[in-house]
Amino acid sequence: MTDIQILIIGGASLDTLSAAGKSVAVAGGAGMYTALAARRSAAQVTLFAPRPDPIPAALQAVAERVAWQGPTVKPADLPHFEIAYHAGETTYLQASFGAETTLSPDALPSDLSVYDYVHVVPLGDIRRQHDFMLACRERGARRISAGTAVDLIDSQPDVAHAVLAAADLFFMNEEEAARLFGSVAAAKTAPGKTLFVTKGKKGAIVVQGSFVTEVPGVAAEVVDPTGAGDTFCGAALACLARGKHPVMAARGAMPLAAQATEDIGPAALLGPPLPPEMPLDRRVVVNPSKVSSISDLIAALPEVTPFDFTGPDLPAIGHPAALDTFFAATLQQFGFWTEVAGKYSHPLIATIDGEQRKGAFYLFRAYLRCLEDAPELLTPARQADLTKADMSALLRSDDGSDPVPVLELHLAQAQQYGRDMLALGLTPQTLLDQVNASSAPLQVFFQMLDHIGGYKEDPLRKKAGLLAIILQQRPEGFLSFSAEEEVTPVIDYHLMRSCLRTGLIDVMDETLSGNLVSRKLLPPEDEWAVRYAAYTAVEQVVAKSGKSTGAVDWFFFNARTRCPEMTEPLCDLCEIDPVCAHRKELFQPVLRTTFY
């Protein structure tokens, strides 16, 4: 995808780097690193900054790769930094911002709405940076990103906080986060905003409101760490512009940021697209042969069709509160199992309205009952102030008990959903109005849910994907996708169990395999290894079979009746039986999470 457009405001410099007893003249500058990283990540990039004439040899590669706009200056008037790198520490010995200090927002194009992201570097004066951000907003910039610098935060703390408030996304390192928030642990964002804090070889954190996700680093033989944070920023912006979840964008940016430190200056950013990818956990791998055989089988099965999400457990077609119900209920699709002594014990099965229901459909029936009895409880305003008693009553079974194992987590998710929706001024209907008016409705839908509690936390967007499928496949057609859009895989317990047992994914590590068989609680990194492999496998099955994600998901979800958790699989009733690996002993990862 090359039609991504990113504007970087703030330019290139000619620097002197001292390392290993040698001094080298290199291209530098926060804007330059950010721009080249975004370009290496296959975005179309415009750099608004002083443009030297003639262009020095060190900056020729920049001019060849980006659309460089801005006032023409002499090479001697470019910013210049003298940087020393020794024993893992970077020290700025001298800083001259040159002609960058004369940049004016008045020279910006009048319409910035064509850009997916506009990123503004500190410009040597964060008051000027803030002025540029305000001007960008006035000129129609859709999403504004910003970076910062420790010395500027120290000298202009009030303006630094104003810059933070004006940005949709903010990139900083640990030291800068400590300056702005008092500590890295205290970092948080306003609703609708995202913060990325890089931590060197330790990786990064992604902050969405008060929810924080750790992203691991990538090993590197560091030669020159200058610009690693800006490289991370440019690559992350390109991933975000493609519709990636913020955490997946950070994961996508990390390998290029690491690679950029292994050479002097921006050399690593001058390679061809696409950049290096996050190393896979080889303990669990996709089986290409099984992907091919199962995809072929699924392609030939007429019964592999999408579910329309109607029926006795779901809102009637055309019900005026159906949207409130689906938004509030789908975020609760998680945690339907009980742990005993560090192992999976049994799934949620209980009687509601005179009928026995399991897991997802127990929850849908509970929310249908609420829709019939107290529909106002499902609005964002009421979800925001739900009490434990409210949630317990909503989820109670016919005998008056609460069969849900983690009621407190369900309550917290409901409250955060409601509070984020209120803070963003949204209802399910107004959110969909914005989404359906866009040229890429599914991408915009996901990007909006990335800021809403109950949906924003999962990097693989299981519940967001499920909600998208429901809204698109319902008879009302609440959500329309563009012809090029497809929902990402909806990976829950059942799909992981199917992937493991059919052989779509292979567990190469004996210890992990043994823990899956014994149904032990797993650490997050083990669960991620299985889940991400399953995500990749299902993504490939969708592509190779020609079936929609909704159809493939419904097919594998219904495998729970043929290949259940607690009893022997009924292989003779399963359409996949002829090509299945029959690894009946394997079980889905056991981890308490709100993701699924």
Side-chain angles (χ1 to χ4, degrees):
M1 185 176 181
T2 58
D3 57 349
I4 293 167
Q5 297 285 341
I6 296 176
L7 171 65
I8 310 296
I9 297 174
S13 60
L14 288 173
D15 298 345
T16 302
L17 173 67
S18 298
K22 296 186 293 186
S23 292
V24 184
V26 295
M32 185 279 299
Y33 275 101
T34 307
L36 286 185
R39 183 70 191 97
R40 176 83 198 275
S41 302
Q44 297 295 320
V45 179
T46 300
L47 179 65
F48 181 81
R51 191 176 192 276
D53 184 19
I55 294 177
L59 294 175
Q60 286 286 347
V62 181
E64 291 167 1
R65 287 166 172 76
V66 307
W68 196 338
Q69 300 177 0
T72 301
V73 300
K74 297 176 182 178
D77 292 331
L78 285 174
H80 175 76
F81 301 91
E82 291 186 19
I83 306 166
Y85 176 61
H86 177 70
E89 296 293 328
T90 301
T91 305
Y92 282 79
L93 304 176
Q94 183 177 335
S96 171
F97 292 93
E100 195 167 87
T101 62
T102 66
L103 274 181
S104 169
D106 295 338
L108 285 170
S110 59
D111 181 11
L112 300 182
S113 65
V114 298
Y115 296 103
D116 295 281
Y117 285 94
V118 175
H119 179 75
V120 188
V121 307
L123 299 171
D125 179 347
I126 53 177
R127 192 175 301 281
R128 182 182 301 108
Q129 181 188 27
H130 188 242
D131 290 343
F132 264 94
M133 294 169 71
L134 297 179
C136 288
R137 194 72 76 186
E138 291 172 357
R139 287 164 168 77
R142 289 183 277 160
R143 302 178 195 90
I144 297 176
S145 166
T148 192
V150 168
D151 58 328
L152 298 178
I153 295 171
D154 289 344
S155 63
Q156 299 172 293
D158 292 342
V159 184
H161 282 280
V163 170
L164 178 66
D168 300 303
L169 302 100
F170 208 103
F171 293 83
M172 63 182 69
N173 61 33
E174 286 182 289
E175 188 176 359
E176 291 157 355
R179 292 286 206 282
L180 276 169
F181 296 102
S183 69
V184 176
K188 63 180 181 179
T189 73
K193 299 177 184 289
T194 307
L195 172 66
F196 298 85
V197 181
T198 54
K199 304 195 299 178
K201 65 182 180 181
K202 295 179 292 182
I205 62 171
V206 180
V207 184
Q208 301 162 275
S210 59
F211 188 81
V212 178
T213 304
E214 296 274 353
V215 176
V218 173
E221 295 293 331
V222 178
V223 174
D224 173 16
T226 310
D230 298 310
T231 297
F232 174 89
C233 172
L237 289 174
C239 290
L240 289 165
R242 281 191 191 85
K244 296 291 186 182
H245 185 280
V247 173
M248 297 307 288
R251 290 179 65 89
M254 196 62 69
L256 184 59
Q259 188 183 75
T261 68
E262 295 186 321
D263 208 336
I264 298 293
L269 305 183
L270 304 181
L274 292 169
E277 296 184 354
M278 196 76 163
L280 295 176
D281 189 328
R282 303 305 299 177
R283 293 178 300 163
V284 188
V285 298
V286 176
N287 186 318
S289 175
K290 283 297 179 192
V291 168
S292 180
S293 60
I294 289 175
S295 297
D296 289 345
L297 188 149
I298 285 176
L301 291 175
E303 61 266 37
V304 181
T305 57
F307 176 48
D308 67 1
F309 289 91
T310 62
D313 299 312
L314 296 157
I317 298 170
H319 194 292
L323 279 180
D324 279 339
T325 306
F326 283 123
F327 271 73
T330 305
L331 69 89
Q332 300 292 356
Q333 292 287 348
F334 69 89
F336 304 135
W337 58 279
T338 295
E339 168 202 345
V340 175
K343 290 186 177 183
Y344 183 102
S345 174
H346 58 273
L348 185 163
I349 300 174
T351 301
I352 182 169
D353 293 341
E355 298 181 71
Q356 194 173 77
R357 288 288 183 269
K358 178 176 181 289
F361 280 91
Y362 179 91
L363 186 129
F364 274 134
R365 176 61 74 92
Y367 274 75
L368 177 65
R369 181 177 61 192
C370 184
L371 172 66
E372 294 166 346
D373 296 344
E376 71 283 353
L377 206 65
L378 303 175
T379 63
R382 286 292 286 112
Q383 290 283 296
D385 64 5
L386 280 184
T387 65
K388 186 174 181 179
D390 292 331
M391 184 60 75
S392 182
L394 197 160
L395 297 176
R396 74 182 186 281
S397 62
D398 284 358
D399 64 8
S401 67
D402 170 23
V404 177
V406 283
L407 183 70
E408 291 79 7
L409 286 181
H410 289 282
L411 175 61
Q413 292 274 283
Q415 292 171 338
Q416 192 59 59
Y417 159 76
R419 291 165 186 170
D420 284 343
M421 290 284 279
L422 291 177
L424 295 170
L426 293 172
T427 66
Q429 185 61 63
T430 60
L431 184 151
L432 286 174
D433 289 343
Q434 293 183 43
V435 165
N436 288 322
S438 71
S439 60
L442 181 60
Q443 178 173 324
V444 174
F445 180 75
F446 281 150
Q447 287 173 331
M448 293 184 75
L449 289 189
D450 287 344
H451 297 293
I452 295 170
Y455 295 103
K456 67 186 180 185
E457 299 88 355
D458 181 8
L460 298 185
R461 292 170 166 159
K462 178 262 175 177
K463 293 184 292 186
L466 176 58
L467 182 60
I469 286 172
I470 292 170
L471 298 178
Q472 194 256 349
Q473 293 173 186
R474 276 280 291 194
E476 297 96 331
F478 293 119
L479 174 62
S480 298
F481 304 165
S482 71
E484 298 79 25
E485 293 183 308
E486 181 59 84
V487 178
T488 50
V490 179
I491 303 299
D492 64 3
Y493 308 111
H494 303 297
L495 268 78
M496 283 190 281
R497 190 168 67 253
S498 288
C499 286
L500 288 161
R501 290 181 173 179
T502 61
L504 279 170
I505 59 176
D506 294 325
V507 183
M508 313 303 289
D509 181 84
E510 290 186 8
T511 301
L512 177 53
S513 179
N515 289 339
L516 290 170
V517 171
S518 62
R519 307 187 178 194
K520 289 183 179 179
L521 285 175
L522 296 183
E525 59 271 20
D526 288 5
E527 182 266 355
W528 177 262
V530 177
R531 192 173 183 229
Y532 191 67
Y535 178 95
T536 304
V538 173
E539 191 173 45
Q540 292 178 12
V541 169
V542 169
K544 291 179 182 295
S545 69
K547 300 284 189 176
S548 70
T549 300
V552 171
D553 179 74
W554 185 239
F555 175 76
F556 279 115
F557 179 76
N558 280 319
R560 73 197 191 283
T561 61
R562 307 182 293 271
C563 203
E565 295 104 312
M566 306 305 290
T567 56
E568 185 71 12
L570 305 172
C571 296
D572 58 326
L573 300 181
C574 182
E575 296 90 338
I576 286 181
D577 185 58
V579 295
C580 181
H582 298 108
R583 295 171 180 159
K584 303 176 186 179
E585 74 283 358
L586 288 175
F587 198 66
Q588 69 258 22
V590 180
L591 177 74
R592 182 63 71 196
T593 174
T594 62
F595 295 175
Y596 57 86

